[in-house]
Amino acid sequence: MNLRTVNAFFGYGLFALGGMKFIFTILLMIQGSTNTALSEGEIIFYSLYPIFTLIIGGAQLLLAIGSVIMIFVNMSNQPAVIPGYLWGLGAILLEVTSPFLFYVLVLFAECGMYIKAGTSIISKNINYDDGYKKSKKTVKNQEWYLRKEK
C-alpha cells in the first residue's frame, strides 16, 4: 500500500468515526427523552448500545495510535495532511480533558473535530503526487510479464 491509500483510509475512518459518534449521541438523547413504554419495542434495540460503545471506543483508540504514527510518516513525504491528524488527536484530547458536567456540549464539538479531521486529510490527500512516472524503460521491463503465450 502506498502513502496515499493509507492517508485516505485514515481520512475516511476519522470522518466515519465522527459521524457514528454523532448519530450514537442523538440516539442516546432520544432514549433518554422517551418514556419506558416506548423503549421496550422491538424496533430499536437498546441492548446493543454497549456493543456500539465498545466499537466506537476501540476505533478511537486505533485511529489515535495510527494518527500519531502517520504524523511521523507524513513529515517528509506529505506534510500537508498533518493538520488533519492533529485535529483527530485534538478531539481525543478534548474528550479526555473535558469535565463530566460539560461533556454533552463537548461531545458535539468532538464529533465536529473528527469530521473536520477526516475532510482535511481527504482533501489534502487528493493533490498528492507520489512522483512515479512511467517511462519506456519500465514498460519494456514489464513486457515479459504481459506477453501472451501462443
Side-chain angles (χ1 to χ4, degrees):
M1 270 198 297
N2 60 7
L3 190 60
R4 185 175 183 173
T5 307
V6 175
N7 281 333
F9 173 77
F10 276 101
Y12 287 118
L14 287 168
F15 185 82
L17 180 64
M20 283 189 330
K21 196 159 185 165
F22 181 77
I23 291 171
F24 185 67
T25 303
I26 296 298
L27 288 174
L28 284 176
M29 287 183 172
I30 290 172
Q31 178 190 8
S33 65
T34 58
N35 62 16
T36 57
L38 293 176
S39 65
E40 294 180 10
E42 296 179 13
I43 297 174
I44 301 174
F45 300 106
Y46 293 123
S47 62
L48 296 177
Y49 281 0
I51 296 171
F52 292 142
T53 304
L54 286 174
I55 291 171
I56 290 173
Q60 280 181 321
L61 183 65
L62 289 176
L63 286 173
I65 292 169
S67 293
V68 171
I69 294 169
M70 290 305 292
I71 286 173
F72 291 113
V73 169
N74 285 314
M75 275 185 178
S76 60
N77 294 336
Q78 196 176 3
V81 297
I82 292 176
Y85 288 112
L86 292 176
W87 273 102
L89 290 175
I92 289 281
L93 185 67
L94 184 66
E95 181 177 3
V96 171
T97 60
S98 65
F100 182 73
L101 295 174
F102 301 118
Y103 189 68
V104 174
L105 299 174
V106 170
L107 191 59
F108 290 113
E110 180 187 351
C111 295
M113 288 176 75
Y114 278 127
I115 292 172
K116 170 80 172 158
T119 55
S120 175
I121 292 171
I122 292 167
S123 66
K124 300 287 170 67
N125 194 34
I126 289 175
N127 301 328
Y128 176 63
D129 183 24
D130 60 353
Y132 177 75
K133 303 291 183 207
K134 191 186 303 184
S135 67
K136 290 182 180 180
K137 184 178 178 183
T138 4
V139 171
K140 187 152 183 79
N141 192 17
Q142 295 173 358
E143 284 181 355
W144 66 270
Y145 180 75
L146 300 172
R147 190 176 3 169
K148 294 181 181 178
E149 296 291 326
K150 293 184 180 181

